[in-house]
Amino acid sequence: MIAIVQLLIKYALFEPFGVAITLNGFGFSLLVIATLCLAAGGNIINDIYDKETDAINKPDKVIVGKTVSEKTAYNLFIAFNVIGVGVGFYLSHLVGRSGFFVLFVGISGLLYLYASYFKQLILVGNLLVSILVALSIIIVGLFELLPAITPENQATQVTFFKILWDYALFAFIINLLREMVKDIEDIDGDHKAGMNTLPIALGRERAKKIVFALSFVPIATTVYYVVTYLFKQQLVVGYFLLFIIAPLIYVSIKIFTAETKKDYHAISNVLKLVMLFGMLSLLLYKFILIN
């Protein structure tokens, strides 16, 4: 999904409107590769630290210690991070912004800290991983738009960066909601592992009420966005109603009635689809911006 959204930003949002961009096809491929390598490394280290909880929460999906040895997993973690940070170093110098290299080092370090420490703290891990998901969108603007800004195109560059910011905010909200749902789903394994997630600290029912209340935030923000910016384009409004707003309303209802682990897993999957359809809406901007 990270690769899809980054490709859509460049080829469905920037290039069709002739926005001033910095990276050619090769440079952009490096940006995607660096982001994916860091994300892969983050997933691997998370699986390593989650062996105990995954054995309880999802025994059929345990990889580390079964399909792949822990030593091999650590080697893969190191390899993906070295590639991601190394490519990020090259890319930062390529666009003339050597300071951007710190982003890749920071992302790598934060993903390790998330898996090893922050994930165990109430809401801290949820917020951190959601910020990193949003950053995978913002980073495209940092490398493509920022180095290409001139006094003449500044207004246009800022407009398109604001669009990225809106999508990053959407990704942050949906991912945060999904992380909190997953915490309720995984409460048994997390409790045995000594973690302090929201449902462990407050209880499953109180956590459910909080998540239910928060589920109205993406509905409200998406409706506001559609009414404010998209109401003239019927096709676009229909897309948002059918593929984003309606599933989000379903999620709210489902959270309110959820009782079992299976219910929360279904909610998590719907939120993942909402995230995907939200990113695919970038394909509609040729209708939005023309009008």
Side-chain angles (χ1 to χ4, degrees), residues 36-47:
L36 291 181
C37 282
L38 293 179
N43 274 286
I44 292 168
I45 196 66
N46 195 55
D47 279 358

Side-chain angles (χ1 to χ4, degrees), residues 112-124:
Y112 177 82
L113 289 173
Y114 165 76
S116 61
Y117 179 66
F118 288 128
K119 191 175 182 180
Q120 302 173 37
L121 303 179
I122 183 170
L123 287 180
V124 176

Side-chain angles (χ1 to χ4, degrees), residues 49-60:
Y49 275 96
D50 276 1
K51 281 196 306 177
E52 185 181 345
T53 57
D54 286 348
I56 299 167
N57 294 328
K58 44 185 179 181
D60 296 335

